[in-house]
Amino acid sequence: MRLKVENMSCQHCVNAVTRALRALDAKAVVEVDLGKGEVRASGDFSTEAAIATLNAADYPAKLIEG
C-alpha cells in the first residue's frame, strides 16, 4: 500500500513510522519517502490498521494506492 503521511520531517519520523507499522507485523516492509511525505508498506495488516496506528502515533495518514 502507499500512504500519504503528514508530520514527517526527519530521520526520527522515519524511525517512528517504521516502528509503528512493524508493531503490527515485525516482518513488514516499510519504505519512507520524506520528500514526498509518502510511505510504502506491506505486511500482515490491513490498510485500516496501518492508518489507525499511524494516526495514533501523530502521523495522520490516508491511502493513496493499494
Side-chain angles (χ1 to χ4, degrees), residues 23-47:
L24 296 172
D25 177 2
K27 296 180 182 180
V29 176
V30 181
E31 298 174 16
V32 178
D33 184 331
L34 278 177
K36 291 183 179 179
E38 294 181 4
V39 174
R40 288 187 182 270
S42 60
D44 189 20
F45 49 81
S46 68
T47 301

Side-chain angles (χ1 to χ4, degrees), residues 4-52:
K4 181 71 172 175
V5 181
E6 298 177 27
N7 299 340
M8 295 190 307
S9 60
C10 64
Q11 192 60 40
H12 174 276
C13 299
V14 171
N15 293 336
V17 165
T18 300
R19 274 193 312 274
L21 293 173
R22 287 199 177 141
L24 296 172
D25 177 2
K27 296 180 182 180
V29 176
V30 181
E31 298 174 16
V32 178
D33 184 331
L34 278 177
K36 291 183 179 179
E38 294 181 4
V39 174
R40 288 187 182 270
S42 60
D44 189 20
F45 49 81
S46 68
T47 301
E48 293 80 11
I51 290 172

